[in-house]
Each structure stands twice: as C-alpha cells, then as structure tokens.
Amino acid sequence: MANFNFNKVILGGRLTAEPELKTTPSGTQYVNFSIAVNRPYSKGEEQQVDFINVIAWRQRAEFISRYFRKGSSICVVGSIQTRSWTDGQGNKRYATDVVADEVNFVDSKGEGPQGGTSYVPESYSAPSFTTDNTPKFEDVTDDEELPF
C-alpha cells in the first residue's frame, strides 16, 4: 500500500480582529489571526460560523499586517498544525492552527470593510487571464457519444 500523506486546506473568510505583527526573540516576524468562515446552510436554518486560527510567518506576516484589516475578506491556503501544552493547573491543552503558505485578496479594490477605503496597495495589480489558450470543447448532444 502506498504511503499517502496530504495536509492542505483552503479557507475563505473575514478577519475577526486587526492583525498585529509580532517578532520572536530570534527576530522572525509572525502574525496570529482568526478568520470567520461561514458554514453552508439551508433556507430556514440559522447561519453558523467557524472561527479558524491562522499563523503566518516572515514576509507573509508583514504583507497581512500591512494590507488586511478587521473585517477584510481573505483567502488562506496552508496546512493544519496541532500543538499541545500543559496549562498552569496541570491540564493538557490542545490547539489547531492553519499555517498560511499563501494569502490572497478577495475583495475588489475599494470594497473592503472600511466603507470604500482601499487596503489594497496601489502597486498591486490583479493577474490577467486571457482566453486565447482556453481549450475548445465541443457540445455533446447524444449521451451515446460519452466515453463513460
């Protein structure tokens, strides 16, 4: 049997507080923050929200602290990490965090939580996508033509 290890998560949500850039004693910058992620729900049900803890390091941490604010929409790509410790009363405690490998803007420029105030850097330009290399698909009108 093949060894299968995969730890990847993609989350989209809103920051629950202002991200605060911190520095470890060895000088490495980091930021801890939490994002609120809505759960899918059906009509008539109450909306439920999960609060996910995220940590970002070095340049990524600086980027987040500079361009994101409380209420900003954010997309985080990373991995899940668990940690444990013993608290002051001798109880074993556990925490699960997402370690951010990538972070991306979700709101368009000027659509952030600041009521129109942009938190996207002026030098930032969204990637452009062209359809020149888009594969051409033909419509299949008869199920008999399908290969499965």
Side-chain angles (χ1 to χ4, degrees):
M1 179 175 229
N3 184 8
F4 182 75
N5 295 314
F6 194 76
N7 182 353
K8 188 81 156 182
V9 64
I10 302 171
L11 298 167
R14 293 194 178 271
L15 272 72
T16 62
E18 291 291 322
E20 183 183 337
L21 188 64
K22 299 176 184 174
T23 305
T24 65
S26 64
T28 304
Q29 293 183 316
Y30 71 98
V31 64
N32 285 344
F33 59 97
S34 177
I35 60 173
V37 179
N38 291 337
R39 289 186 189 174
Y41 67 103
S42 300
K43 185 176 179 180
E45 292 181 353
E46 187 175 329
Q47 175 69 62
Q48 294 184 341
V49 178
D50 290 308
F51 297 92
I52 311 292
N53 295 321
V54 181
I55 186 166
W57 296 93
R58 298 174 183 80
Q59 292 88 354
R60 198 166 295 107
E62 185 177 345
F63 174 77
I64 292 166
S65 69
R66 182 176 294 172
Y67 298 116
F68 290 88
R69 300 287 170 256
K70 178 180 180 180
S72 297
S73 291
I74 190 170
C75 178
V76 176
V77 179
S79 58
I80 296 173
Q81 177 179 291
T82 58
R83 54 191 165 88
S84 63
W85 70 95
T86 304
D87 68 14
Q89 290 76 36
N91 299 316
K92 190 80 166 178
R93 299 289 183 179
Y94 299 91
T96 302
D97 302 303
V98 172
V99 179
D101 296 326
E102 300 174 34
V103 294
N104 297 290
F105 294 107
V106 176
D107 288 332
S108 296
K109 187 173 183 178
E111 292 181 4
Q114 313 302 326
T117 303
S118 175
Y119 54 86
V120 179
E122 291 300 321
S123 62
Y124 175 78
S125 60
S128 61
F129 299 95
T130 60
T131 57
D132 297 339
N133 295 330
T134 304
K136 305 296 184 223
F137 295 99
E138 58 184 83
D139 291 330
V140 176
T141 57
D142 184 9
D143 286 349
E144 296 296 319
E145 297 178 30
L146 296 175
F148 48 90

